[in-house]
Amino acid sequence: MSRKTYSQQTSLIHSHGYDRHTGAVSIPLYHATTFHQQDFDQFGTYDYSRSGNPTREALEDTIAELEGGVRGFAFSSGMAAISTTFMMLSQGDHVLISEEVYGGTYRLITEVLNRFGIQYSFVDMGDLHEVARAIRVNTKVIYIETPSNPLLNITDIEGIVKLAKANDCLTFLDNTFMTPLLQRPLSLGVDVVLHSATKFLAGHSDVLAGLAVTGCNQVAEKLAFLQNSFGAVLGPQDSWLLLRGLKTLHVRLKQSSESASKIARFLEARNEVEEVYYPGLSYHKGYKTHVRQAEGPGAVLSFRLKSEREVRELKRHVNIPVFAVSLGAVESILSYPAKMSHASMPKEERERRGITDGLLRLSVGLENADELISDLSHGLNSINLSSPKKVIHL
Ligand SMILES: *Cc1c(COP(=O)(O)O)cnc(C)c1O
């Protein structure tokens, strides 16, 4: 089908077309690792599956189209996509990173890349002046996550891109929370968009995968070379599963976002909840910027209870969400950043970033929203019922 004329909703279903040999509407799963060559002078399109596999390629073309890029790359995990992309850097280069970057990316930069002579500094990406001040002569990449995890802080993408271009830096953006349906960073000038496709894109908590997309042919060539050199490619079976998951992305995200908005409004009205973080609330910090650069608030929100005691009480009384790390799945996932995603961060550092012992993150799934709300309501009610009695020590 001719692509440009259709919405993402339609191209999600049709972007990779039909199998050219059989007309199969589901892309065939090519398990082959090697491909017969007619002649040693003239190799075919595929030779070895690390370098290229037809099933993986269908996925790579699909994500490139969704993000509006020239080429997509599929990796064995989000971290594999991020790590491979960082290999564009060389010894002595410097990276500016958002303070609230995903924990795995934080670890890669501070405990792996540093050993190869790649320097880094963390900045508050919400403050363009601070970012401008932190740029050095050897800064080669500015790394953005917006909305950030777990406080959903917003970065002005175009503001950062402008600074980056003026200083000859590339911008990488982790678009996991938004997906290309809600935010298309390449159209705002970002050089590489990254995904943990493990989350919304695959959507069913059963595939670990990562994607990278660029709108620049030169960067695409570098990424293709690195993908093949480093070799952390996505297998054909997982590529196929991810393609399958993608077909329902539009309805999943629409439904989950609607429920998340409802839940955010429910939570903000509850006395037990001190704060709600959700880019769909008009008083959310960065709301205006988010509305300008994205098409929806997404399906992840966080909220703050008073302390760990309240968190324990709530956790004990809610039944529907699974209590786990990860997000972006058909099932709602409740997680506790202080002891899960940010457990390795020193308490002081963690609290300075607003990740206190009372903070919970909820990734809203596809359950009935009213049932989710009454489940949470039951959990919050239990906090009041169990308010600690005054203990008199004799
Ligand atoms: C999960 C996640 C990653 C890492 O992806 P994996 O698929 O787990 O390797 C990176 N960034 C964000 C924002 C994530 O949520």
Side-chain angles (χ1 to χ4, degrees):
M1 73 188 242
S2 113
R3 293 167 180 185
K4 295 276 182 297
T5 49
Y6 291 97
S7 65
Q8 285 178 312
Q9 181 178 2
T10 300
S11 45
L12 271 172
I13 310 298
H14 292 289
S15 71
H16 52 65
Y18 315 114
D19 175 44
R20 51 181 178 268
H21 301 300
T22 63
V25 299
S26 158
I27 277 300
L29 181 42
Y30 289 95
H31 278 293
T33 53
T34 192
F35 298 81
H36 175 68
Q37 307 300 323
Q38 297 299 343
D39 194 339
F40 59 74
D41 287 327
Q42 216 180 354
F43 274 28
T45 315
Y46 306 102
D47 55 17
Y48 188 60
S49 265
R50 171 159 37 71
S51 322
N53 171 284
T55 313
R56 191 178 88 222
E57 198 176 277
L59 167 66
E60 294 176 329
D61 290 349
T62 301
I63 191 65
E65 182 179 338
L66 290 171
E67 287 286 4
V70 295
R71 200 158 163 195
F73 302 89
F75 298 89
S76 55
S77 69
M79 281 321 302
I82 294 167
S83 305
T84 305
T85 304
F86 267 120
M87 285 186 190
M88 285 172 63
L89 294 171
S90 302
Q91 188 178 18
D93 289 349
H94 173 254
V95 191
L96 268 187
I97 318 140
S98 161
E99 257 189 343
E100 299 182 322
V101 74
Y102 175 74
T105 310
Y106 177 88
R107 184 171 51 207
L108 172 75
I109 288 165
T110 59
E111 293 188 48
V112 182
L113 294 181
N114 63 325
R115 292 195 287 106
F116 296 87
I118 291 167
Q119 303 158 18
Y120 58 88
S121 0
F122 290 98
V123 283
D124 172 4
M125 285 286 168
D127 182 347
L128 291 179
H129 296 288
E130 189 184 326
V131 178
R133 272 197 303 274
I135 294 175
R136 303 182 191 167
V137 281
N138 59 339
T139 304
K140 293 289 164 64
V141 167
I142 305 185
Y143 191 94
I144 314 166
E145 246 179 77
T146 181
S148 70
N149 179 23
L151 294 175
L152 292 305
N153 281 327
I154 306 301
T155 295
D156 174 357
I157 301 174
E158 283 180 295
I160 296 290
V161 164
K162 218 182 260 176
L163 279 176
K165 289 203 191 300
N167 289 279
D168 253 339
C169 309
L170 293 175
T171 39
F172 298 169
L173 187 148
D174 184 331
N175 204 23
T176 301
F177 273 43
M178 286 285 102
T179 85
L181 298 198
L182 298 179
Q183 186 166 273
R184 305 223 303 164
L186 297 181
S187 72
L188 301 174
V190 164
D191 296 291
V192 182
V193 172
L194 295 157
H195 284 283
S196 169
T198 312
K199 316 293 167 54
F200 290 102
L201 299 183
H204 294 70
S205 300
D206 55 9
V207 183
L208 194 71
L211 297 167
V213 187
T214 179
C216 163
N217 286 314
Q218 250 178 318
V219 173
E221 255 168 54
K222 286 185 189 165
L223 285 177
F225 175 80
L226 289 169
Q227 183 191 38
N228 191 37
S229 304
F230 195 53
V233 294
L234 191 63
Q237 177 84 42
D238 286 342
S239 298
W240 187 88
L241 278 168
L242 184 42
L243 276 166
R244 183 190 230 266
L246 271 173
K247 291 189 187 189
T248 55
L249 176 62
H250 187 270
V251 274
R252 285 189 283 108
L253 199 59
K254 186 163 181 277
Q255 166 79 41
S256 291
S257 302
E258 275 170 24
S259 300
S261 297
K262 258 187 169 175
I263 292 171
R265 283 195 301 272
F266 157 76
L267 288 171
E268 69 178 348
R270 292 288 304 219
N271 288 333
E272 304 83 356
V273 177
E274 298 191 332
E275 261 169 300
V276 181
Y277 303 89
Y278 183 57
L281 299 170
S282 59
Y283 55 82
H284 184 75
K285 201 171 150 229
Y287 172 80
K288 283 203 179 116
T289 306
H290 187 74
V291 167
R292 199 176 65 232
Q293 66 193 17
E295 288 181 34
V300 181
L301 58 91
S302 292
F303 57 102
R304 193 188 305 288
L305 301 179
K306 201 156 161 241
S307 69
E308 186 178 328
R309 186 193 74 80
E310 283 78 7
V311 169
R312 277 185 195 282
E313 214 48 55
L314 179 88
K315 145 87 188 62
R316 214 143 43 114
H317 291 88
V318 293
N319 290 317
I320 299 177
V322 297
F323 190 61
V325 295
S326 200
L327 57 102
V330 289
E331 60 276 355
S332 292
I333 302 177
L334 186 64
S335 60
Y336 186 40
K339 297 222 165 147
M340 290 176 166
S341 54
H342 292 72
S344 60
M345 198 177 271
K347 188 175 161 97
E348 234 173 68
E349 187 71 2
R350 179 162 62 69
E351 295 203 330
R352 195 176 63 73
R353 293 170 196 223
I355 305 159
T356 60
D357 291 344
L359 191 76
L360 281 159
R361 187 188 73 196
L362 181 66
S363 165
V364 180
L366 299 181
E367 302 92 342
N368 178 295
D370 295 330
E371 285 172 5
L372 278 171
I373 286 175
S374 63
D375 194 38
L376 286 166
S377 178
H378 175 63
L380 292 169
N381 291 342
S382 70
I383 293 175
N384 298 329
L385 293 174
S386 74
S387 284
K389 316 233 165 16
K390 245 199 178 136
V391 181
I392 302 167
H393 295 283
L394 296 172

